């Protein structure tokens, strides 16, 4: 068996085209504010990619770049100013923040109505209650890809590797909301391959390059690779793609799988936030 390679780049582009059409129908452009603190190289690439994609979709996007040593109170003041600015529909604070900053405090400062990353505790609660209007972009992107290859997710056994606040935890909630049977695993899980081998759907988001091997995967499983690491100058995921493609029925590549979907979902969330705030 050779797996279907899920083309996240193409699917994300289609979603962005549809969103651009929708945005054209509104009298005001949505506005996304991106706060970036410090000079983390990867963060710089991510925020510029987000801005480029937003502008191409007809969404105004401004990057507020602060120096690495900016005091926490100054970052909070900027977020408060963006909260009060009625032109701003969505605010994201690019993570990771520098070590001297309390990340939770900054994220909780964002108004819920503008929290398009959905990282605030109240947004996480809404997700687990299955009443969220929008949720975190990366796991939303994963659900969108899964629905394309697996029209009914109900009853499927989904195994998630990784328990981060950004991916693993919201991923588990979303799969549960789709009526999957969900198993969460992480770095302390004993005998991980025995568990992953039971998965109909395997979502890997642990940041360990090529961790998942062929003998970890059930024949015909759908495997989604959220990992992205640089090894010998090359981007690789958490799944050994060449091995796993021989057993999976469908698999995402890295790059070109989940990554582009994250941006498309962030833009969708920004439009949703605008519609909710402006009662459109
Ligand atoms: N850092 C890594 N992923 C993300 C994301 O989805 N949003 C933000 N704000 N920071 C990130």
């Amino acid at each position: 068996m050779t797996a279907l390679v899920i083309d996240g780049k193409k699917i994300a582009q289609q979603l962005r085209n549809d969103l651009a059409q929708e945005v054209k129908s509104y009298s005001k452009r949505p506005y996304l504010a991106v706060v970036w603190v410090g000079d983390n190289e990867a963060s710089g690439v991510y925020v510029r990619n987000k801005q480029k994609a937003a502008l191409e979709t007809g969404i105004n996007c401004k990057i507020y770049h602060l120096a690495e040593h900016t005091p926490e109170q100054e970052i909070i003041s900027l977020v408060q100013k963006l909260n009060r600015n009625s032109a701003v529909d969505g605010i994201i604070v690019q993570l990771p923040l520098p070590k001297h900053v309390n990340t939770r405090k900054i994220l909780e400062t964002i108004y819920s109505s503008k929290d398009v990353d959905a990282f605030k505790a109240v947004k996480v609660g809404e997700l687990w209650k299955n009443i969220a209007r929008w949720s975190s972009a990366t796991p939303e992107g994963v659900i969108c890809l899964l629905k394309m290859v697996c029209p009914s997710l109900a009853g499927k056994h989904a195994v998630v590797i990784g328990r981060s606040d950004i991916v693993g935890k919201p991923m588990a909630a979303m799969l549960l909301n789709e009526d999957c049977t969900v198993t969460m695993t992480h770095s302390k899980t004993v005998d991980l391959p025995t568990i992953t081998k039971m998965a109909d759907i395997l979502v890997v988001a642990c940041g360990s390059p090529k961790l998942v091997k062929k003998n970890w995967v059930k024949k015909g499983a759908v495997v989604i690779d959220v990992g992205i690491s640089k090894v010998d100058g090359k981007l690789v995921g958490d799944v050994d793609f060449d091995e796993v493609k021989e057993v999976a029925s469908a698999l995402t590549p890295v790059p070109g799988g989940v990554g582009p979907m994250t941006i498309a979902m962030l833009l969708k969330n920004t439009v949703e936030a605008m519609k909710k705030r402006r009662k459109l």
Side-chain angles (χ1 to χ4, degrees), residues 184-204:
M184 286 285 285
T185 69
H186 47 78
S187 53
K188 301 286 189 295
T189 297
V190 176
D191 197 5
L192 187 53
T194 301
I195 299 170
T196 58
K197 190 110 196 181
M198 293 193 293
D200 303 307
I201 292 165
L202 179 60
V203 181
V204 195

Side-chain angles (χ1 to χ4, degrees), residues 197-215:
K197 190 110 196 181
M198 293 193 293
D200 303 307
I201 292 165
L202 179 60
V203 181
V204 195
C206 58
S208 302
K210 296 194 182 188
L211 176 77
V212 175
K213 302 292 178 193
K214 187 174 157 178
N215 61 353

Side-chain angles (χ1 to χ4, degrees), residues 43 46 50 92-96 107 117 119 137-138 166 262:
S43 292
Y46 291 139
K50 286 171 185 178
I92 64 167
V93 176
Q94 187 63 29
L95 302 180
L107 294 180
D117 260 333
F119 290 163
T138 300
I166 292 183
T262 297

Side-chain angles (χ1 to χ4, degrees), residues 10-20 144 261 264-265:
K10 190 166 152 195
I11 297 165
Q13 188 58 57
Q14 186 58 53
L15 288 170
R16 278 166 46 188
N17 292 347
D18 294 347
L19 204 55
C144 183
M261 294 298 288
M265 291 296 148

